[in-house]
Amino acid sequence: MSLPNQQPRHKSTIKKLGKLAIPSSFLLLFGCNTTSLMSEPNALESAKNDCIGTIEQHAGLALLPGEKLPSGVVMPQKQGGLCKGQVFVTIQEITIWRAWNSEYSGSRLGKWWTFDKPRGSISQYRRDNVICPSYSPLDMLVSCKVKVGTQVVVGPGQSAKCSDYFSYPASKTNQIYLADAENTTLVCQSYDGRFSWREAPQKVVKSAESL
């Protein structure tokens, strides 16, 4: 049996806990929302750790410093995309290039583009732009002009795990993310790929005695 002066103390304690329970649950809910909202910026911050390049300023583009990056463009290590990026807007028509997959017509005006026309070794082009063989055979090429007033994201490529056997490291080459190429490009020209073989350079291997 409780003493008379103990009952009010318990009730007072319960009331105090009750008052604390509402703010605590509110804080917990607020904490969950903050985690959800901050999950993307945190991912972007961790993605920067693998970057080796810088975001370059290109002619015809103006920086939009307050513009939010689209989801899925800047990615964590080994997942492709960009390792960091910024939003720009075209202030004049610019020409961009994309190597694509002829077996899938939807690949022609995809989301990932380059500033320069692909040249030289295909394997080096894959490495520079972090394009795994499973992404595309790169047997077609298209160039387009981007309309004035179009927003694009520019940044160096993130590393990508292509398979259990090999990965591409992060690249310093800047790429372009264009969300809706179908409606923001004009004057597009396609080119088909052709076999063009050159003799590979000889690698000089020193004997163990000369090392």
Side-chain angles (χ1 to χ4, degrees):
M1 183 174 180
S2 300
L3 296 175
N5 63 340
Q6 287 182 320
Q7 187 65 22
R9 188 190 304 174
H10 284 298
K11 287 183 178 180
S12 175
T13 304
I14 290 170
K15 286 180 180 179
K16 288 181 180 178
L17 289 174
K19 290 179 180 179
L20 290 173
I22 295 173
S24 297
S25 61
F26 175 76
L27 289 173
L28 180 60
L29 178 62
F30 181 76
C32 291
N33 288 340
T34 303
T35 300
S36 176
L37 291 173
M38 293 298 291
S39 60
E40 184 174 341
N42 287 343
L44 304 188
E45 190 63 34
S46 65
K48 295 177 185 178
N49 296 335
D50 202 29
C51 284
I52 62 170
T54 59
I55 300 170
E56 301 168 356
Q57 175 66 57
H58 291 265
L61 298 179
L63 178 63
L64 298 177
E67 198 67 28
K68 182 180 178 181
L69 290 170
S71 177
V73 176
V74 174
M75 298 293 287
Q77 297 178 16
K78 304 298 182 182
Q79 294 188 27
L82 302 181
C83 65
K84 59 182 174 182
Q86 288 184 312
V87 180
F88 294 80
V89 63
T90 55
I91 54 177
Q92 65 186 52
E93 291 181 2
I94 62 170
T95 300
I96 58 176
W97 301 83
R98 173 178 168 82
W100 58 286
N101 178 7
S102 65
E103 299 300 320
Y104 171 47
S105 60
S107 172
R108 180 173 178 266
L109 297 179
K111 299 181 185 299
W112 296 99
W113 298 74
T114 60
F115 286 102
D116 301 314
K117 182 179 181 180
R119 301 181 186 279
S121 164
I122 295 174
S123 61
Q124 187 60 49
Y125 179 80
R126 285 189 181 279
R127 178 173 290 272
D128 289 343
N129 294 281
V130 197
I131 305 173
C132 294
S134 59
Y135 295 173
S136 172
L138 306 182
D139 60 337
M140 293 289 289
L141 179 68
V142 62
S143 66
C144 295
K145 291 186 180 296
V146 184
K147 297 176 182 178
V148 174
T150 301
Q151 289 189 13
V152 299
V153 181
V154 177
Q158 178 61 283
S159 56
K161 182 178 180 180
C162 297
S163 71
D164 291 335
Y165 304 102
F166 83 100
S167 299
Y168 285 129
S171 171
K172 65 180 181 180
T173 300
N174 274 212
Q175 299 182 45
I176 308 162
Y177 174 83
L178 182 59
D180 185 15
E182 188 72 38
N183 295 307
T184 57
T185 58
L186 42 81
V187 195
C188 293
Q189 175 65 54
S190 292
Y191 309 82
D192 64 343
R194 302 294 178 96
F195 286 119
S196 179
W197 303 101
R198 294 184 179 181
E199 184 176 349
Q202 297 292 326
K203 293 183 179 180
V204 178
V205 181
K206 295 182 180 180
S207 65
E209 292 134 356
S210 63
L211 295 177

